[in-house]
Amino acid sequence: MDSSVGDNAKAVRKSKVEKKILRKQLKASHTLLKHEGISTAALPTKSLVVANGGLGNGVSREELSGALKEVGEVEALVMPPYKPHAFVTYRSEESAQKAYINLNGQTLQCEENSVTLYLCYVDSVAHEEEASVPLPDGLVLVEDFVSPEEEALLLAAVDWSSTNDGVTGLPKECVPVLDRCKKNGYISFMPDQLTVNQYESGQGIPPHVDTHSAFEDTILSLSLGAKIVMEFRHPDGRVVAVVLPGRSLLVMKGESRYLWTHGITPRKFDMMPACNPRFSAQMPDRTHSDLTLCKRGTRTSFTFRKIRHEPCHCAFPSACDSQGAPSAPSPPPPTLPCCHADAACLEEEYVHRVYDAIASHFSSTRHSPWPRVCHFLSSFPPGIVLADVGCGNGKYLGVNPEMIAVGCDRSSALVQICAERGFHAFVSDALSVPLRTASCDACISIAVIHHFSTQERRLAAVKELVRLLKPGGRALIYVWAFEQEHNKQKSKYLKDQNKEHHGKHSPSKNISEDGQEPHERIHTSGDLEDNLRPVDTNRDVSKVTDGKLSVHTNRTAFNTQDVLVPWHLKGGKKQGEEQTGNGSKKENIKEKSKKSSSNSCSVFTTDPNLSSGSRPDATHNATSKSSASGSTPNPASTLKSESESSPAPVFHRYYHVFQQGELEQLCGQVAGVKVQSSYHDQGNWCVILEKD
């Protein structure tokens, strides 16, 4: 090992077998890079692409740069956003060759995980410098607005352990801050409502607009503690990411307050420029030469508002509830699709959108790999290529570290979680995976194909798996079974029914790892459930004769194969959703939510005309019922958010549950493959296929 390679990237002498495996892994990396549009060079150059060394793998610029600089002088390091690779250019070709020899196949130890680096030569590195993007109209960011001493006083003023609901008035520690805001012209009035939220690493808030009818124009947000990235989104699709440093003041007025949504993506690392982290820039689809990862810490926000007592007359009537912004129509009862287009629409509404909405909560319940899937993955020799089609949060991508594992999922939110966990994953439909034919030694499809709503689409999904396999390659498929009781044994999904009836389940642990659904008993409510028909147990289970899909009752036997299965969000709201004060429009109490996976919240108000403890109905916004927080969900979403005191938001996922023998029959229609084995595993039908 070269003496210049230090502790950051561990290099060891390789045996002949290990060198052979490395060659196979490099070949696989070449294949994956081609799908990213990256052409590797056969001869040495000054530039290399570093597979596995990207921001998308949880590798920071500082960590990668440290390893690369140990073997030579680095001229440039480019780390594209959200990608699992980076580009390095050395001052000399000799240094690049040194890096290629010494760092290939070596492990880079990062803060929360370790990755294996694979380096390939490239002829050139093309990247686009980031453009300066203006802040939304009316948005002002003031850095270092409060001193460290004031920050400490403000944080100490919030008693998170207090249960006293008779507290009125803003904390006295806030008065000097608000006086300074008024003196500097950021506000023309003194706020009479304060919401304090505390965010731990990994928490966030969905995009929203504070309800127009609840609060006056200017809203102040003081960030204390750790810095964080907040995203502002315009209805036309523009996105501006703004880093909020600790002790900074954000002033939202006019268009930025009334029209742009603002939110914080729940994650543990934020992407930001390494040189000057206080920036605003459009993050999606841009390539930045100086991006790095910054680990989140605990952030506390003080949000000051003025309660509105008259209707809002803003210049944005399309988003204003006071000016009669149109409400979203109630969705019609879903029906079984009769053509390809209908099937795609059904799956978009009742599969894709749902998983994007519940991704964080869903991921928190999917942490234990199923033993028989692990056994399948462990049966392959080192160095093989695995494709996990429908990988979810990537819980199977790290089961066998000697595999080259790549995953894909239709949900961009779940793919982002994979990237934060250091896994290779990309967004893709399971019917059209952008990998080369016969490029994989193994494929898995776990709990995916049952989400396709027609026989033709389920068959196409199996064919796509077979296409990816090399001759002799094997695929494992799991689908949810209609028969939840097999060989006189109930699945764990049914066994947990008793917990439902006795109310002994915990809302924070509401998923069975062996089953698929929440422990919560279903409570149907809202327009969708009102229009759904009960299932007649005497009819043919293979279809619903009137075409209407029914809502399945969790933890019970199936009565029909095509169903909508409810998902209840933990804690009665979207995970990480902030309470921002609409419910406190007529409150003069301090509220404290239980500290769980969502952020902590306290509300203060000084309005003398408000009666104690009054809780009015939430106001309405342009697209859906507002939560008690006074926030309007992103207009692109039709999903509702409710306050903690309301029933948990319920989302419905489409399933086609398979009857015994149906999966084998489906696979038997695919040419060039045979069913090696099939079995029933805790309420799922499973097959292992082998390609001829």
Side-chain angles (χ1 to χ4, degrees), residues 160 196-200 203 298-300 595 599-601:
W160 294 111
V196 182
N197 283 277
Q198 191 170 78
Y199 300 83
E200 302 292 345
Q203 295 177 342
T298 300
R299 169 184 176 262
T300 303
K595 202 168 185 179
N599 52 313
S600 301
C601 172

Side-chain angles (χ1 to χ4, degrees), residues 21-78:
I21 292 171
L22 178 58
R23 285 195 296 271
K24 293 179 68 176
Q25 291 172 329
L26 282 170
K27 184 178 178 182
S29 295
H30 276 278
T31 301
L32 296 175
L33 290 169
K34 284 181 182 178
H35 291 296
E36 288 281 349
I38 300 169
S39 298
T40 57
L43 299 176
T45 67
K46 291 199 302 180
S47 300
L48 303 105
V49 57
V50 186
N52 262 16
L55 296 170
N57 288 84
V59 179
S60 72
R61 173 173 295 274
E62 294 75 17
E63 291 162 340
L64 181 60
S65 179
L68 296 172
K69 288 179 178 178
E70 288 173 350
V71 295
E73 187 178 356
V74 173
E75 185 176 278
L77 175 60
V78 177

Side-chain angles (χ1 to χ4, degrees), residues 535-545 559-561 659:
V535 175
D536 180 357
T537 57
N538 293 321
R539 59 183 153 189
D540 183 0
V541 300
S542 65
K543 60 182 178 179
V544 182
T545 54
N559 293 319
T560 186
Q561 285 188 266
Q659 288 185 303

Side-chain angles (χ1 to χ4, degrees), residues 319-451:
C320 182
D321 57 310
S322 289
Q323 300 181 59
S327 300
S330 300
T335 59
L336 282 173
C338 57
C339 64
H340 174 81
D342 288 349
C345 290
L346 176 69
E347 292 159 19
E348 172 66 23
E349 181 73 22
Y350 292 98
V351 181
H352 306 158
R353 291 185 185 179
V354 173
Y355 277 105
D356 272 336
I358 69 173
S360 183
H361 183 200
F362 178 82
S363 177
S364 71
T365 67
R366 295 301 192 268
H367 46 78
S368 299
W370 294 344
R372 295 191 73 165
V373 180
C374 293
H375 181 266
F376 174 80
L377 296 175
S378 301
S379 66
F380 291 89
I384 67 102
V385 176
L386 165 73
D388 184 349
V389 180
C391 62
N393 67 351
K395 73 175 182 179
Y396 292 110
L397 293 176
V399 166
N400 186 348
E402 295 183 320
M403 286 180 161
I404 299 172
V406 61
C408 65
D409 201 279
R410 184 59 176 73
S411 168
S412 58
L414 288 171
V415 169
Q416 176 64 25
I417 292 172
C418 290
E420 291 172 358
R421 299 176 67 182
F423 297 131
H424 284 293
F426 55 89
V427 177
S428 171
D429 194 299
L431 298 182
S432 181
V433 181
L435 293 176
R436 192 175 60 192
T437 298
S439 60
C440 302
D441 301 280
C443 292
I444 59 174
S445 172
I446 310 301
V448 175
I449 294 177
H450 52 217
H451 286 309

Side-chain angles (χ1 to χ4, degrees), residues 64 77 132 169 210 219 326 398 441 459 553-554 565 679:
L64 181 60
L77 175 60
S132 177
D210 290 69
I219 295 176
D441 301 280
L459 178 61
T553 300
N554 284 332
V565 178
Y679 56 92

Side-chain angles (χ1 to χ4, degrees), residues 439-474:
S439 60
C440 302
D441 301 280
C443 292
I444 59 174
S445 172
I446 310 301
V448 175
I449 294 177
H450 52 217
H451 286 309
F452 288 105
S453 54
T454 66
Q455 170 80 359
E456 292 76 18
R457 291 168 71 80
R458 293 188 285 271
L459 178 61
V462 176
K463 287 181 177 179
E464 185 68 354
L465 289 174
V466 175
R467 181 188 69 81
L468 297 177
L469 287 176
K470 297 176 181 177
R474 289 181 290 152

